[in-house]
CSV table of all heavy atoms in Angstrom, one decimal:
chain,number,residue,atom,x,y,z
A,72,ALA,N,8.5,7.5,38.6
A,72,ALA,CA,7.2,8.2,38.5
A,72,ALA,C,6.3,7.8,37.4
A,72,ALA,O,5.2,8.1,37.2
A,72,ALA,CB,7.3,9.7,38.4
A,73,CYS,N,6.9,6.9,36.5
A,73,CYS,CA,6.3,6.6,35.3
A,73,CYS,C,5.0,5.8,35.6
A,73,CYS,O,5.0,4.8,36.2
A,73,CYS,CB,7.1,5.8,34.3
A,73,CYS,SG,6.3,5.3,32.7
A,74,GLN,N,3.8,6.2,35.0
A,74,GLN,CA,2.5,5.4,35.1
A,74,GLN,C,2.5,4.4,34.1
A,74,GLN,O,1.7,4.6,33.1
A,74,GLN,CB,1.4,6.4,35.2
A,74,GLN,CG,1.4,7.5,36.2
A,74,GLN,CD,0.3,8.4,36.1
A,74,GLN,OE1,-0.9,8.0,36.1
A,74,GLN,NE2,0.6,9.8,36.1
A,75,ILE,N,3.2,3.3,34.3
A,75,ILE,CA,3.5,2.4,33.2
A,75,ILE,C,2.1,1.6,32.8
A,75,ILE,O,2.0,1.1,31.7
A,75,ILE,CB,4.5,1.4,33.5
A,75,ILE,CG1,4.2,0.6,34.8
A,75,ILE,CG2,5.9,2.0,33.7
A,75,ILE,CD1,5.0,-0.6,35.2
A,76,HIS,N,1.1,1.5,33.7
A,76,HIS,CA,-0.1,0.8,33.4
A,76,HIS,C,-1.2,1.8,32.9
A,76,HIS,O,-2.3,1.2,32.6
A,76,HIS,CB,-0.5,0.0,34.6
A,76,HIS,CG,0.4,-1.1,35.0
A,76,HIS,ND1,0.6,-2.2,34.1
A,76,HIS,CD2,1.2,-1.2,36.1
A,76,HIS,CE1,1.6,-3.0,34.8
A,76,HIS,NE2,2.0,-2.4,35.8
A,77,ARG,N,-1.0,3.0,33.0
A,77,ARG,CA,-2.0,3.9,32.6
A,77,ARG,C,-2.1,4.0,31.1
A,77,ARG,O,-1.1,4.3,30.4
A,77,ARG,CB,-1.7,5.3,33.0
A,77,ARG,CG,-2.7,6.4,32.6
A,77,ARG,CD,-2.2,7.8,33.0
A,77,ARG,NE,-2.9,8.9,32.3
A,77,ARG,CZ,-2.5,10.1,32.4
A,77,ARG,NH1,-1.5,10.4,33.1
A,77,ARG,NH2,-3.2,11.0,31.7
A,78,PRO,N,-3.2,3.8,30.4
A,78,PRO,CA,-3.3,3.8,29.0
A,78,PRO,C,-2.8,5.1,28.4
A,78,PRO,O,-3.1,6.2,28.9
A,78,PRO,CB,-4.7,3.5,28.6
A,78,PRO,CG,-5.3,2.9,29.8
A,78,PRO,CD,-4.5,3.4,31.0
A,79,ALA,N,-2.0,5.1,27.3
A,79,ALA,CA,-1.7,6.3,26.6
A,79,ALA,C,-2.9,7.0,26.0
A,79,ALA,O,-3.9,6.3,25.8
A,79,ALA,CB,-0.5,6.1,25.6
A,80,ASP,N,-2.8,8.3,25.8
A,80,ASP,CA,-4.0,9.0,25.1
A,80,ASP,C,-4.0,8.6,23.7
A,80,ASP,O,-3.3,9.1,22.8
A,80,ASP,CB,-3.8,10.5,25.3
A,80,ASP,CG,-4.8,11.3,24.7
A,80,ASP,OD1,-5.8,10.7,24.4
A,80,ASP,OD2,-4.7,12.5,24.6
A,81,THR,N,-4.9,7.7,23.4
A,81,THR,CA,-5.1,7.2,22.0
A,81,THR,C,-6.4,7.5,21.4
A,81,THR,O,-6.8,6.7,20.6
A,81,THR,CB,-4.8,5.7,22.0
A,81,THR,OG1,-5.8,5.0,23.0
A,81,THR,CG2,-3.4,5.3,22.5
A,82,ALA,N,-7.0,8.6,21.7
A,82,ALA,CA,-8.3,9.0,21.2
A,82,ALA,C,-8.2,9.2,19.7
A,82,ALA,O,-7.4,10.1,19.3
A,82,ALA,CB,-8.9,10.1,21.9
A,83,LEU,N,-8.7,8.4,18.8
A,83,LEU,CA,-8.6,8.5,17.4
A,83,LEU,C,-9.8,9.0,16.7
A,83,LEU,O,-10.9,8.5,17.1
A,83,LEU,CB,-8.2,7.1,16.8
A,83,LEU,CG,-6.9,6.5,17.6
A,83,LEU,CD1,-6.6,5.1,17.0
A,83,LEU,CD2,-5.7,7.4,17.4
A,84,GLU,N,-9.6,9.7,15.7
A,84,GLU,CA,-10.8,10.2,14.8
A,84,GLU,C,-11.1,9.3,13.8
A,84,GLU,O,-10.2,8.7,13.1
A,84,GLU,CB,-10.5,11.6,14.3
A,84,GLU,CG,-10.0,12.6,15.3
A,84,GLU,CD,-9.6,13.9,14.7
A,84,GLU,OE1,-9.7,14.0,13.4
A,84,GLU,OE2,-9.2,14.9,15.3
A,85,PRO,N,-12.4,9.1,13.5
A,85,PRO,CA,-12.8,8.3,12.3
A,85,PRO,C,-12.3,9.0,11.0
A,85,PRO,O,-12.1,10.2,10.9
A,85,PRO,CB,-14.4,8.3,12.4
A,85,PRO,CG,-14.7,8.7,13.7
A,85,PRO,CD,-13.6,9.6,14.2
A,86,ILE,N,-12.1,8.1,10.1
A,86,ILE,CA,-11.6,8.7,8.6
A,86,ILE,C,-12.9,8.7,7.7
A,86,ILE,O,-13.7,7.7,7.6
A,86,ILE,CB,-10.5,7.7,8.1
A,86,ILE,CG1,-9.3,7.9,8.9
A,86,ILE,CG2,-10.3,8.1,6.6
A,86,ILE,CD1,-8.2,7.0,8.4
A,87,ILE,N,-13.1,9.9,7.1
A,87,ILE,CA,-14.2,10.0,6.2
A,87,ILE,C,-13.6,9.6,4.9
A,87,ILE,O,-12.8,10.2,4.3
A,87,ILE,CB,-14.7,11.5,6.1
A,87,ILE,CG1,-15.2,11.9,7.5
A,87,ILE,CG2,-15.8,11.6,5.1
A,87,ILE,CD1,-15.6,13.3,7.6
A,88,ALA,N,-14.2,8.4,4.3
A,88,ALA,CA,-13.7,8.0,3.1
A,88,ALA,C,-14.0,8.9,1.9
A,88,ALA,O,-15.2,9.4,1.8
A,88,ALA,CB,-14.3,6.6,2.7
A,89,PRO,N,-13.1,9.2,1.1
A,89,PRO,CA,-13.4,10.1,-0.1
A,89,PRO,C,-14.4,9.5,-1.2
A,89,PRO,O,-14.4,8.3,-1.3
A,89,PRO,CB,-12.0,10.3,-0.8
A,89,PRO,CG,-11.2,9.1,-0.3
A,89,PRO,CD,-11.7,8.7,1.0
A,90,LYS,N,-15.1,10.3,-1.8
A,90,LYS,CA,-16.0,9.8,-2.7
A,90,LYS,C,-15.3,9.4,-4.0
A,90,LYS,O,-14.3,10.1,-4.4
A,90,LYS,CB,-17.1,10.9,-3.0
A,90,LYS,CG,-18.0,11.2,-1.9
A,90,LYS,CD,-19.1,12.3,-2.3
A,90,LYS,CE,-19.9,12.6,-1.1
A,90,LYS,NZ,-21.0,13.6,-1.5
A,91,PRO,N,-15.8,8.3,-4.8
A,91,PRO,CA,-15.0,7.9,-6.0
A,91,PRO,C,-15.1,9.1,-6.9
A,91,PRO,O,-16.2,9.6,-7.1
A,91,PRO,CB,-15.8,6.7,-6.4
A,91,PRO,CG,-16.9,6.4,-5.5
A,91,PRO,CD,-16.9,7.5,-4.3
A,92,GLY,N,-14.0,9.3,-7.6
A,92,GLY,CA,-14.0,10.4,-8.7
A,92,GLY,C,-13.7,9.7,-10.0
A,92,GLY,O,-14.0,8.6,-10.3
A,93,ALA,N,-13.2,10.5,-11.0
A,93,ALA,CA,-12.8,10.1,-12.2
A,93,ALA,C,-11.6,9.1,-12.2
A,93,ALA,O,-10.8,9.1,-11.4
A,93,ALA,CB,-12.4,11.3,-13.2
A,94,VAL,N,-11.6,8.2,-13.2
A,94,VAL,CA,-10.5,7.2,-13.2
A,94,VAL,C,-9.2,7.9,-13.5
A,94,VAL,O,-9.0,8.8,-14.4
A,94,VAL,CB,-10.8,6.2,-14.4
A,94,VAL,CG1,-9.5,5.2,-14.7
A,94,VAL,CG2,-12.1,5.5,-14.1
A,95,VAL,N,-8.2,7.6,-12.8
A,95,VAL,CA,-6.8,8.3,-12.8
A,95,VAL,C,-5.9,7.4,-13.7
A,95,VAL,O,-5.1,7.8,-14.5
A,95,VAL,CB,-6.3,8.5,-11.5
A,95,VAL,CG1,-4.8,9.1,-11.6
A,95,VAL,CG2,-7.1,9.5,-10.7
A,96,LEU,N,-6.0,6.1,-13.5
A,96,LEU,CA,-5.2,5.1,-14.2
A,96,LEU,C,-5.9,4.0,-14.5
A,96,LEU,O,-6.6,3.4,-13.6
A,96,LEU,CB,-3.9,4.8,-13.4
A,96,LEU,CG,-2.9,3.8,-13.9
A,96,LEU,CD1,-2.2,4.4,-15.1
A,96,LEU,CD2,-2.0,3.4,-12.7
A,97,GLU,N,-5.7,3.5,-15.7
A,97,GLU,CA,-6.4,2.2,-16.1
A,97,GLU,C,-5.4,1.3,-16.8
A,97,GLU,O,-4.7,1.8,-17.8
A,97,GLU,CB,-7.6,2.5,-17.0
A,97,GLU,CG,-8.4,1.3,-17.4
A,97,GLU,CD,-9.7,1.5,-18.2
A,97,GLU,OE1,-10.0,2.7,-18.3
A,97,GLU,OE2,-10.2,0.6,-18.8
A,98,VAL,N,-5.3,0.1,-16.4
A,98,VAL,CA,-4.4,-0.9,-17.0
A,98,VAL,C,-5.1,-2.0,-17.6
A,98,VAL,O,-6.1,-2.6,-17.0
A,98,VAL,CB,-3.4,-1.5,-16.0
A,98,VAL,CG1,-2.5,-2.5,-16.6
A,98,VAL,CG2,-2.6,-0.3,-15.3
A,99,SER,N,-4.8,-2.4,-18.9
A,99,SER,CA,-5.6,-3.4,-19.6
A,99,SER,C,-4.6,-4.3,-20.3
A,99,SER,O,-3.9,-3.8,-21.1
A,99,SER,CB,-6.6,-2.7,-20.6
A,99,SER,OG,-7.3,-3.7,-21.3
A,100,LYS,N,-4.7,-5.6,-20.0
A,100,LYS,CA,-3.9,-6.7,-20.7
A,100,LYS,C,-2.4,-6.4,-20.7
A,100,LYS,O,-1.7,-6.6,-21.8
A,100,LYS,CB,-4.4,-6.9,-22.1
A,100,LYS,CG,-5.9,-7.3,-22.2
A,100,LYS,CD,-6.4,-7.6,-23.5
A,100,LYS,CE,-7.8,-8.1,-23.6
A,100,LYS,NZ,-8.3,-8.2,-24.9
A,101,ALA,N,-1.8,-5.8,-19.7
A,101,ALA,CA,-0.4,-5.6,-19.6
A,101,ALA,C,0.3,-6.9,-19.5
A,101,ALA,O,-0.1,-7.8,-18.8
A,101,ALA,CB,-0.1,-4.7,-18.4
A,102,ALA,N,1.5,-7.0,-20.1
A,102,ALA,CA,2.3,-8.2,-20.0
A,102,ALA,C,3.7,-7.8,-20.2
A,102,ALA,O,4.1,-6.8,-20.8
A,102,ALA,CB,1.9,-9.2,-21.3
A,103,LYS,N,4.5,-8.6,-19.6
A,103,LYS,CA,6.0,-8.3,-19.6
A,103,LYS,C,6.7,-9.6,-19.5
A,103,LYS,O,6.5,-10.5,-18.6
A,103,LYS,CB,6.5,-7.4,-18.4
A,103,LYS,CG,7.9,-7.2,-18.3
A,103,LYS,CD,8.6,-6.5,-19.5
A,103,LYS,CE,10.1,-6.4,-19.2
A,103,LYS,NZ,10.7,-5.6,-20.5
A,104,HIS,N,7.7,-9.8,-20.4
A,104,HIS,CA,8.6,-11.1,-20.3
A,104,HIS,C,10.0,-10.7,-20.6
A,104,HIS,O,10.3,-9.6,-21.2
A,104,HIS,CB,8.1,-12.1,-21.3
A,104,HIS,CG,8.3,-11.8,-22.7
A,104,HIS,ND1,7.4,-11.1,-23.5
A,104,HIS,CD2,9.4,-12.0,-23.5
A,104,HIS,CE1,7.9,-10.9,-24.7
A,104,HIS,NE2,9.1,-11.5,-24.8
A,105,TYR,N,10.9,-11.5,-20.2
A,105,TYR,CA,12.3,-11.3,-20.6
A,105,TYR,C,13.0,-12.6,-20.8
A,105,TYR,O,12.6,-13.7,-20.3
A,105,TYR,CB,12.9,-10.5,-19.5
A,105,TYR,CG,13.1,-11.1,-18.2
A,105,TYR,CD1,14.3,-11.9,-17.9
A,105,TYR,CD2,12.2,-10.9,-17.2
A,105,TYR,CE1,14.4,-12.5,-16.6
A,105,TYR,CE2,12.3,-11.6,-16.0
A,105,TYR,CZ,13.5,-12.3,-15.6
A,105,TYR,OH,13.6,-12.9,-14.5
A,106,GLN,N,14.0,-12.6,-21.6
A,106,GLN,CA,14.8,-13.7,-22.0
A,106,GLN,C,16.2,-13.8,-21.3
A,106,GLN,O,17.1,-12.9,-21.5
A,106,GLN,CB,15.1,-13.6,-23.5
A,106,GLN,CG,15.8,-14.9,-24.1
A,106,GLN,CD,14.8,-16.1,-24.1
A,106,GLN,OE1,13.8,-16.1,-24.6
A,106,GLN,NE2,15.4,-17.2,-23.5
A,107,PRO,N,16.3,-14.7,-20.4
A,107,PRO,CA,17.6,-14.8,-19.7
A,107,PRO,C,18.7,-15.0,-20.6
A,107,PRO,O,18.5,-15.6,-21.7
A,107,PRO,CB,17.4,-16.0,-18.7
A,107,PRO,CG,16.0,-16.2,-18.6
A,107,PRO,CD,15.4,-15.7,-20.0
A,108,PRO,N,20.0,-14.5,-20.3
A,108,PRO,CA,21.0,-14.7,-21.3
A,108,PRO,C,21.5,-16.2,-21.5
A,108,PRO,O,21.3,-17.0,-20.6
A,108,PRO,CB,22.2,-13.9,-20.6
A,108,PRO,CG,21.9,-13.8,-19.2
A,108,PRO,CD,20.4,-13.8,-19.1
A,109,ARG,N,21.8,-16.5,-22.6
A,109,ARG,CA,22.3,-17.9,-23.0
A,109,ARG,C,23.6,-18.2,-22.4
A,109,ARG,O,24.5,-17.3,-22.5
A,109,ARG,CB,22.4,-18.1,-24.5
A,109,ARG,CG,22.7,-19.6,-24.9
A,109,ARG,CD,23.1,-19.6,-26.4
A,109,ARG,NE,22.0,-19.2,-27.2
A,109,ARG,CZ,21.2,-20.1,-27.7
A,109,ARG,NH1,21.3,-21.4,-27.4
A,109,ARG,NH2,20.2,-19.8,-28.5
A,110,PRO,N,23.8,-19.3,-21.6
A,110,PRO,CA,25.1,-19.7,-21.0
A,110,PRO,C,26.1,-19.9,-22.2
A,110,PRO,O,25.7,-20.2,-23.3
A,110,PRO,CB,24.8,-20.8,-20.2
A,110,PRO,CG,23.5,-21.5,-20.8
A,110,PRO,CD,22.7,-20.3,-21.3
A,111,LEU,N,27.3,-19.9,-21.8
A,111,LEU,CA,28.4,-20.1,-22.8
A,111,LEU,C,28.2,-21.5,-23.5
A,111,LEU,O,28.4,-21.6,-24.7
A,111,LEU,CB,29.8,-20.0,-22.1
A,111,LEU,CG,31.0,-20.1,-23.0
A,111,LEU,CD1,31.0,-19.0,-24.0
A,111,LEU,CD2,32.3,-20.1,-22.2
């Protein structure tokens, strides 16, 4: 009985984009390095 060719109900709502607000996180000149262990 499966109506395999009938499209599934996929009516989708538009998304309202939020308005920009205050800065939550700010990264400036971040750097990270590591030194591998010296072999024997």
